[in-house]
Amino acid sequence: MRFPVSCLCAMLLAQSLPAFAALGGAPGAAQASNPQASSTQADSVRAKVAARVTNYNGYSVSETLEPSGTTVKEYVSADNIVFAVSWQGPSMPNLQQLLGSYSEQYVAAASVPHAGRRAVAIQSDQLVLRSGGHMRSFAGSAYVPALLPQGVTPDDIR
């Protein structure tokens, strides 16, 4: 059975629980801007996930384990801006929330017909994104090149 790519993208964007930040925004901005996420849902999500924050020189990484088993990392600059996100696990995270205003670029890139595997790659001045995988094994990362703190390289985003 084959689904149109746009349907598959919509299902992948809608299936996951809310994340806590959006690329290019302040941590917590994605959830605050989502009027559909009630405080009960937010409390429920917080109760089911495990989070860990690690500080590096000039930025921090917030690592969240979603109930699905997918790990989402949010890279936050000293200015409190999410400059990168990455994910790995058995299900796709909610990319619409993780990517924020950049999610339309992902949907457009994912809608282009691909031969073979369903990997998506974007390489532009505004967004660099790699996403791929198969059922029960998805991985990807995205960052905004202009927001990378000084001294942070794309290799630091894993």
Side-chain angles (χ1 to χ4, degrees):
M1 173 186 289
R2 298 191 86 184
F3 291 103
V5 173
S6 59
C7 288
L8 184 59
C9 289
M11 290 179 354
L12 290 174
L13 288 173
Q15 75 177 13
S16 299
L17 292 171
F20 301 113
L23 191 60
Q31 193 167 13
S33 66
N34 182 359
Q36 296 174 344
S38 69
S39 62
T40 303
Q41 286 175 310
D43 292 343
S44 175
V45 169
R46 286 187 190 108
K48 292 179 181 178
V49 299
R52 179 178 60 179
V53 176
T54 305
N55 292 311
Y56 295 95
N57 190 17
Y59 69 101
S60 63
V61 178
S62 175
E63 183 175 326
T64 303
L65 178 62
E66 295 187 337
S68 67
T70 297
T71 300
V72 175
K73 293 181 181 177
E74 299 163 336
Y75 296 77
V76 181
S77 70
D79 298 333
N80 206 31
I81 300 293
V82 178
F83 63 89
V85 293
S86 67
W87 57 92
Q88 183 170 14
S91 67
M92 287 289 285
N94 186 330
L95 291 185
Q96 186 173 19
Q97 288 189 336
L98 278 181
L99 300 177
S101 63
Y102 299 94
S103 65
E104 292 178 16
Q105 293 180 47
Y106 172 76
V107 171
S111 298
V112 174
H114 296 86
R117 303 193 87 172
R118 297 278 183 205
V120 176
I122 299 171
Q123 178 83 39
S124 74
D125 294 341
Q126 294 84 35
L127 177 67
V128 176
L129 180 143
R130 305 267 185 273
S131 179
H134 54 83
M135 293 303 287
R136 302 188 208 295
S137 180
F138 294 96
S141 65
Y143 66 92
V144 179
L147 297 178
L148 284 178
Q150 188 172 15
V152 177
T153 67
D155 292 337
D156 295 326
I157 302 163
R158 294 179 233 134

